[in-house]
Amino acid sequence: MSLPKVTSSMSNPYCLLVCDDDDALREALTEQIDAYEEFSVIGEGTAAGAMARVAEERIDLVVMDVGLPDMDGREAVRAMRRNGYRGPIIVLTAQESDDDMVEGLEAGANDYVVKPFKFAVLLARIRVQLRQHEASEDAVFRIGPYTFRPGAKLLVGERGSKLKLTEKETAILRYLYRAGREVVGRDTLLAEVWGYNAHVTTHTLETHIYRLRQKIEPNPATAAILVTEGGGYKLLP
């Protein structure tokens, strides 16, 4: 039975990898997670398959079972880290001992979830790890000709030039990036970046957009990266 799609404003979804050799569990998790528009999901039944995916594709977060047929999941985590994967990894384990937890974390996992678990718990852990990663120095996104490093509040140009961003500018770009090519209305962007603050007006947002364009646009008078459309804003690749 297919699940109803849970709507979200994000059209540039996080790509998640679920690695578990239990076909029923893996398929259930991928179906449940994929019901949320903020995520796209890939399933793998072996450590080798998961490691190949991480090496070849953009994977934002890995959910990794410990008991895999070809390799201990923790060894796979170690191999992923050695090979340069920096995204969050959540380990699934049937063991509740402190030693087992420590071994998983020391292998390079960011969090662990003990089986059996409620889906809502795993979903909450996934979102927490993604938020923390986006605020870290390891998070890197592509915006136009720039490499966007939200944790460092930086845009790095193709020739290595660095543009320092304010906290609000960083938050605006992060939210617009996650919206993909969808237009984000001014009121939505205000609420997401400033919260529901009665003293903040659309003029404040427009001022920040103006300053951002002065920094990132080749010709700020004719925006080609951060454009105005339909009562809001969007980023163009």
Side-chain angles (χ1 to χ4, degrees):
M1 182 181 70
S2 62
L3 295 172
K5 200 74 172 174
V6 180
T7 59
S8 163
S9 63
M10 300 295 97
S11 67
N12 200 4
Y14 297 103
C15 186
L16 274 53
L17 171 66
V18 175
C19 182
D20 198 301
D21 66 326
D22 182 329
D23 293 343
L25 176 60
R26 185 178 68 253
E27 289 171 8
L29 284 178
T30 55
E31 184 178 5
Q32 287 177 298
I33 295 170
D34 196 49
Y36 293 81
E37 288 188 347
E38 68 199 270
F39 303 120
S40 63
V41 194
I42 297 167
E44 285 288 345
T46 64
M51 289 188 292
R53 289 279 194 177
V54 166
E56 296 167 4
E57 302 177 33
R58 190 208 88 195
I59 303 293
D60 294 305
L61 179 143
V62 176
V63 177
M64 173 70 69
D65 186 34
V66 167
L68 296 168
D70 56 337
M71 183 187 296
D72 186 299
R74 290 163 296 199
E75 289 303 317
V77 170
R78 284 192 179 91
M80 289 177 183
R81 295 306 192 201
R82 283 197 303 270
N83 292 332
Y85 180 68
R86 294 186 175 184
I89 300 176
I90 298 176
V91 168
L92 302 181
T93 176
Q95 305 296 321
E96 295 188 61
S97 71
D98 290 343
D99 287 346
D100 193 73
M101 177 194 72
V102 169
E103 187 176 349
L105 296 175
E106 287 186 344
N110 300 84
D111 200 357
Y112 78 105
V113 174
V114 178
K115 295 179 179 180
F117 55 85
K118 292 183 178 179
F119 173 71
V121 171
L122 177 62
L123 182 63
R125 298 284 186 88
I126 287 170
R127 285 174 168 156
V128 166
Q129 289 301 325
L130 287 170
R131 283 198 302 270
Q132 290 179 351
H133 179 70
E134 283 202 346
S136 75
E137 295 289 339
D138 289 335
V140 177
F141 308 102
R142 192 75 184 172
I143 294 177
Y146 302 102
T147 300
F148 178 38
R149 299 180 178 271
K153 299 185 180 68
L154 276 180
L155 282 172
V156 182
E158 293 173 317
R159 297 182 179 179
S161 60
K162 294 181 179 180
L163 295 172
K164 190 66 179 173
L165 302 170
T166 67
E167 182 178 345
K168 296 302 185 190
E169 289 169 348
T170 301
I172 289 169
L173 288 181
R174 182 191 288 121
Y175 194 82
L176 291 176
Y177 174 83
R178 281 296 165 204
R181 296 191 181 191
E182 287 187 5
V183 175
V184 177
R186 290 182 175 86
D187 289 342
T188 299
L189 203 50
L190 272 173
E192 291 293 334
V193 174
W194 279 269
Y196 293 95
N197 186 332
H199 301 293
V200 177
T201 67
T202 55
H203 177 70
T204 301
L205 173 61
E206 288 161 0
T207 300
H208 279 76
I209 294 292
Y210 172 80
R211 290 173 180 166
L212 256 177
R213 284 176 173 154
Q214 295 299 312
K215 291 182 179 181
I216 70 174
E217 296 284 359
N219 181 2
T222 308
I225 300 171
L226 202 176
V227 301
T228 302
E229 186 176 311
Y233 304 101
K234 71 176 183 179
L235 289 175
L236 294 179

